[in-house]
Amino acid sequence: MVQIISSIEWFFFPFGILLVVGIVFFLERALFLHKGQIRPENFLTGLQALLKKGRRMEAITLCEETPGSVARLMKIALIHASESQNFILDELRRNALLELPLLRKRIESLRFMAQLAPVVGLIGSVFYLLKGFWNLGALQAYTSLTSFSPYITSALSVTLIGFIEMFLFYLAYHFLKGRLRALIFDMEWSAKEIVVFLSRTQQKSDESK
């Protein structure tokens, strides 16, 4: 591997920059999504228990103290608990649309880098092959394969590194997309459950009056 890296000369720098930026983006997004990932069933059960006891402000405080998009949506639902079901749903949809760009931030950048890495490798391959042919032409005499083999090695090495980085970036991209899909599912499920719960609570309150 050291020989492969040394054979690509200064092409190591664009690959190194791509790799470092990709690692930073991946770690930042993975930590952010992990921080916002909670168990919606347990969280919703706790909110419902507080609401059944009439402690709505404590439930809102719990939402404020809990990180993540699910808790922020639950807070919106509790603030508008006295409104109609359609109004609460509209507010949840509107705020969910505001949450999505924050959740998707930098994830698509990993896919772009996965597409860019093999392009850099292809450029490097063409560069080293042209460099080899230029040097062969400058010799103006018969030459052995050993004169051209270093350029072939460099061309293949830079292509290989480009494909390796592409694989790593796509792996990171699909991992984060999976975490994002799970988080969006939790948001949708929690929103539906809290709206149904608030609607039933409102109906019971109206019937008791």
Side-chain angles (χ1 to χ4, degrees), residues 47 50 55-63:
L47 289 182
L50 291 174
R55 296 153 65 179
R56 187 160 71 100
M57 292 306 300
E58 290 186 30
I60 293 175
T61 303
L62 177 61
C63 293

Side-chain angles (χ1 to χ4, degrees), residues 1-20:
M1 194 64 190
V2 174
Q3 292 178 346
I4 290 176
I5 294 175
S6 63
S7 67
I8 66 174
E9 300 175 342
W10 62 270
F11 267 91
F12 171 78
F13 293 102
F15 281 128
I17 292 172
L18 275 177
L19 186 61
V20 170

Side-chain angles (χ1 to χ4, degrees), residues 15-182:
F15 281 128
I17 292 172
L18 275 177
L19 186 61
V20 170
V21 173
I23 291 174
V24 171
F25 281 5
F26 172 74
L27 292 178
E28 187 274 333
R29 283 292 91 187
L31 291 174
F32 179 84
L33 294 176
H34 177 72
K35 183 179 179 181
Q37 191 83 41
I38 62 174
R39 293 187 176 182
E41 298 88 351
N42 297 339
F43 181 68
L44 203 59
T45 299
L47 289 182
Q48 291 174 352
L50 291 174
L51 293 173
K52 288 178 181 178
K53 297 177 182 179
R55 296 153 65 179
R56 187 160 71 100
M57 292 306 300
E58 290 186 30
I60 293 175
T61 303
L62 177 61
C63 293
E64 292 176 345
E65 294 175 350
T66 305
S69 300
V70 173
R72 286 192 288 270
L73 288 182
M74 296 303 97
K75 178 184 174 182
I76 296 299
L78 295 182
I79 290 174
H80 301 286
S82 59
E83 304 291 341
S84 65
Q85 181 175 348
N86 290 334
F87 182 87
I88 297 174
L89 285 173
D90 290 339
E91 285 297 307
L92 289 174
R93 291 192 190 99
R94 186 175 65 83
N95 283 273
L97 291 176
L98 297 176
E99 292 284 337
L100 289 178
L102 180 63
L103 297 175
R104 292 171 176 165
K105 189 178 180 181
R106 297 191 184 93
I107 294 180
E108 292 301 321
S109 298
L110 286 172
R111 186 173 68 169
F112 171 73
M113 287 188 284
Q115 296 168 343
L116 184 62
V119 175
V120 176
L122 178 60
I123 293 173
S125 298
V126 174
F127 171 80
Y128 284 115
L129 290 176
L130 286 175
K131 185 178 179 181
F133 283 119
W134 285 334
N135 289 339
L136 287 178
L139 292 175
Q140 297 179 351
Y142 291 104
T143 183
S144 62
L145 182 61
T146 55
S147 302
F148 190 64
S149 61
Y151 302 104
I152 297 177
T153 301
S154 297
L156 294 177
S157 297
V158 75
T159 302
L160 175 63
I161 293 177
F163 280 117
I164 290 175
E165 287 203 355
M166 179 190 70
F167 172 77
L168 294 175
F169 288 143
Y170 269 124
L171 194 65
Y173 169 76
H174 286 291
F175 173 81
L176 293 178
K177 288 289 285 187
R179 298 297 299 270
L180 177 62
R181 283 193 295 268

